[in-house]
Amino acid sequence: MPKSDRIVVDETIKGADISKLMSEDAFFRLKSLGAGLHEKSLEELTEMAHNFYDDTALPKLVSDFASLELSPVDGRTMTDFMHTRGLNMSSFGRVLQLAEKLPHIQSICIHEMVIRSFKHIIRAVIAVVDDMQNMSAAIAKTLNILLGSPRLENGADTDAHVEHNLRLKWVESFLSKRFSWKLKDEFAHLRKFIILKGLCSKVGLELVAKDYNLNSPNPFDKSDIISIVPICKHVVYSSIDGRNLLESSKVALDKGKLNDAVSYGTKNIPSANTITRHPLDELKLAHQRCAPVSSSLTDSIS
């Protein structure tokens, strides 16, 4: 865990009796665990929590990625897995280090970190625009700076050079301070459409649906910005049936039962889509999981 995100113990209570800092019921439950935690000071408990986070929780997450117990497919599913385990998003840099032999996990982490850094720039631009009539132009200009591909001429001190270098330095500084990760050459290999999708999702941008040429200096125009919609961070569509189907499909697949995996994955998907009329993540994941299984099953039969 980055030092900036560690829990700081108030000096006035650092050496205090822990029984005086919690209710009797809470202290009794802590004592009944039989681990001797009730005899520790607040400072010792805090240090133990930090050590558990760094030495156990994060390595266990990466271990589950390696064993396919957890299978994130994008930044959204990655953050969901981390939130479920109480892990802070500032730990992306540490996860990236631990996932040395998992390039797909590293790619997800890098893209998610860059998306989160760009998000702050977009929000800052939105906050300083006084005239709403200029909002679309300001957002389009910012997206061009962040995602466009300026034509850089060697030795030319152009605005494109300045903007490119400023963007790169800012991202490097942000990733270093926020995620404790030193950017190497990953920035040149980013998949820009993933960045654009993540930005739209996190900031609430609605763009015209078209094929943007992100290899050009100015792929976005103010007419491409349709609107900005409110983001309800913790309101996410979810389907219990869809998630249960996905888990059942994963279990069957792990046991080599291809027929059952396909059956669980496809069962009720059409009806669930009809009822909700929303492309639920669990159902989309079930489709993604069933497609290769169904293909393998067809090949084995033929």
Side-chain angles (χ1 to χ4, degrees):
M1 182 185 297
K3 292 183 178 179
S4 59
D5 291 325
R6 285 178 172 263
I7 301 172
V8 179
V9 180
D10 191 334
E11 292 292 336
T12 60
I13 62 173
K14 183 178 290 187
D17 185 353
I18 193 174
S19 63
K20 298 179 181 179
L21 302 176
M22 60 177 64
S23 66
E24 291 184 6
D25 290 340
F27 182 76
F28 178 76
R29 287 197 298 271
L30 185 65
K31 184 177 181 179
S32 64
L33 294 176
L37 297 178
H38 64 290
E39 299 175 350
K40 303 290 184 180
S41 67
L42 182 59
E43 185 178 14
E44 290 175 323
L45 289 175
T46 303
E47 186 62 29
M48 290 173 65
H50 289 160
N51 292 336
F52 176 82
Y53 187 96
D54 294 334
D55 301 335
T56 303
L58 290 178
K60 180 63 168 64
L61 176 74
V62 176
S63 174
D64 287 344
F65 289 157
S67 66
L68 300 181
E69 179 71 21
L70 299 176
S71 303
V73 294
D74 55 16
R76 168 72 177 280
T77 50
M78 171 74 84
T79 53
D80 284 347
F81 288 141
M82 293 180 69
H83 278 308
T84 300
R85 299 193 175 198
L87 302 177
N88 197 303
M89 297 306 103
S90 62
S91 300
F92 271 124
R94 177 61 177 155
V95 173
L96 192 56
Q97 293 175 343
L98 294 173
E100 183 179 2
K101 298 182 180 179
L102 303 173
H104 64 293
I105 298 297
Q106 290 186 319
S107 176
I108 291 175
C109 289
I110 292 172
H111 280 83
E112 187 64 18
M113 289 191 296
V114 173
I115 289 171
R116 288 170 179 265
S117 65
F118 283 179
K119 174 188 70 175
H120 289 278
I121 298 178
I122 297 290
R123 285 182 173 175
V125 170
I126 293 174
V128 299
V129 175
D130 296 327
D131 189 348
M132 289 300 295
Q133 293 183 350
N134 298 327
M135 183 65 74
S136 296
I139 293 176
K141 174 64 175 177
T142 306
L143 289 177
N144 286 333
I145 294 174
L146 297 179
L147 298 175
S149 299
R151 296 184 177 90
L152 304 177
E153 299 178 3
N154 293 331
D157 188 16
T158 63
D159 290 341
H161 263 290
V162 174
E163 291 176 353
H164 176 75
N165 292 333
L166 183 62
R167 173 185 62 177
L168 191 57
K169 288 181 180 179
W170 192 90
V171 171
E172 288 177 348
S173 176
F174 185 90
L175 297 190
S176 176
K177 293 180 179 179
R178 185 72 178 90
F179 301 105
S180 299
W181 175 257
K182 183 174 177 59
L183 193 66
K184 302 180 181 68
D185 62 341
E186 300 94 344
F187 195 82
H189 305 289
L190 293 176
R191 298 170 63 183
K192 292 185 179 181
F193 278 106
I194 293 180
I195 304 296
L196 178 60
K197 176 185 175 183
L199 279 176
C200 291
S201 175
K202 292 183 183 300
V203 182
L205 297 179
E206 282 191 326
L207 272 61
V208 173
K210 69 177 187 181
D211 186 12
Y212 292 96
N213 180 15
L214 298 183
N215 292 321
S216 67
N218 300 297
F220 302 96
D221 186 76
K222 65 178 182 179
S223 60
D224 296 327
I225 313 301
I226 299 176
S227 65
I228 305 175
V229 298
I231 297 296
C232 298
K233 186 174 181 180
H234 296 292
V235 179
V236 180
Y237 287 100
S238 183
S239 166
I240 295 178
D241 290 337
R243 187 168 291 277
N244 289 340
L245 285 170
L246 176 61
E247 293 304 319
S248 298
S249 178
K250 289 170 63 177
V251 171
L253 183 60
D254 291 339
K255 294 181 178 180
K257 299 179 180 179
L258 299 184
N259 279 314
D260 290 343
V262 174
S263 176
Y264 285 128
T266 56
K267 185 179 180 181
N268 292 331
I269 288 180
S271 60
N273 275 325
T274 302
I275 294 171
T276 61
R277 298 189 181 279
H278 190 281
L280 299 174
D281 287 343
E282 292 85 357
L283 299 179
K284 289 190 291 185
L285 286 173
H287 273 301
Q288 293 172 4
R289 181 167 293 277
C290 286
V293 176
S294 180
S295 177
S296 299
L297 186 60
T298 302
D299 292 341
S300 63
I301 294 176
S302 59

